[in-house]
Amino acid sequence: MISYVHNHEDAEEIIQDTILKVVQNISNFQKESTLKTWVFRIAINKSKDFLKYKNRKKRFGIMYSIDDKDQDNGLTLQIGNYNHPGKALESKEQIDILFKGVNQLPKNQKLAITLMKLEQMSMKEVAEILDITPKAVEGLITRARANLRQYLETEGIKIYRNGK
């Protein structure tokens, strides 16, 4: 979950909440998917709820237009407190730009690319979690990459493929 909430302490809290919910609801598990997929769906939902709550706390006292279409229901990645071991390998500025690009993706693209690239799940696992076909996941990833490439190029970062 650290790949989703980008803070070690927050990820620990979400994992604890997830374990508690799994234990409380294990009798409701219907075996329509693998146990791993079921648990991961719970964890993703807990992460979304956590981010919504966290953003709600930040927005206290701030007014937004009713027709503000740029809001993402609390699913914005929080760059300032990104605390992942791999962060030291890249410059903070480039990571900030990358995550700003990820934040601009539609929700399903953002979730698919996060699960596949940061959580390193298989396409089949992501499909089960999102309750879509692997082909649909492939389409989400393709569109997410294209959108990210376009965003990064507008930020002055050239993406090279196949040694070009």
Side-chain angles (χ1 to χ4, degrees):
M1 295 293 72
I2 194 168
S3 300
Y4 202 73
V5 296
H6 306 290
N7 180 288
H8 185 70
E9 290 81 17
D10 293 345
E12 284 181 350
E13 184 176 331
I14 291 166
I15 289 169
Q16 289 174 357
D17 291 346
T18 300
I19 291 169
L20 182 61
K21 184 154 186 165
V22 167
V23 169
Q24 290 172 339
N25 293 295
I26 194 70
S27 62
N28 297 334
F29 177 57
Q30 297 175 358
K31 300 179 183 173
E32 293 173 1
S33 63
T34 66
L35 182 62
K36 177 181 176 182
T37 300
W38 183 69
V39 171
F40 225 95
R41 281 185 188 159
I42 293 171
I44 291 293
N45 288 335
K46 289 286 181 188
S47 297
K48 287 178 179 180
D49 292 346
F50 177 84
L51 291 174
K52 285 178 189 176
Y53 171 76
K54 191 171 183 178
N55 281 346
R56 225 178 295 128
K57 279 179 34 180
K58 284 183 182 181
R59 290 192 306 240
F60 184 77
I62 298 174
M63 301 283 287
Y64 284 102
S65 169
I66 290 176
D67 60 354
D68 187 358
K69 295 177 182 153
D70 294 332
Q71 292 183 22
D72 70 352
N73 298 323
L75 297 178
T76 301
L77 297 174
Q78 302 299 313
I79 304 306
N81 61 359
Y82 182 67
N83 188 14
H84 192 280
K87 180 178 175 182
L89 299 176
E90 298 287 335
S91 74
K92 181 171 178 359
E93 184 177 303
Q94 288 178 333
I95 287 176
D96 286 351
I97 290 169
L98 175 63
F99 280 113
K100 284 177 186 173
V102 171
N103 280 332
Q104 293 184 2
L105 294 173
K107 266 191 258 186
N108 280 347
Q109 289 179 22
K110 182 162 87 173
L111 191 53
I113 205 155
T114 299
L115 291 173
M116 282 197 66
K117 298 303 178 185
L118 297 177
E119 296 293 334
Q120 298 192 355
M121 298 181 118
S122 71
M123 198 167 300
K124 182 180 177 188
E125 291 172 317
V126 174
E128 288 177 6
I129 289 167
L130 297 179
D131 198 25
I132 59 177
T133 66
K135 193 72 172 167
V137 172
E138 187 177 336
L140 287 173
I141 295 297
T142 299
R143 288 189 303 279
R145 285 180 178 160
N147 289 337
L148 278 174
R149 185 175 296 111
Q150 182 179 11
Y151 174 80
L152 293 174
E153 286 177 357
T154 64
E155 293 293 317
I157 299 173
K158 179 71 177 158
I159 306 297
Y160 297 97
R161 292 186 290 174
N162 302 329
K164 295 179 183 176

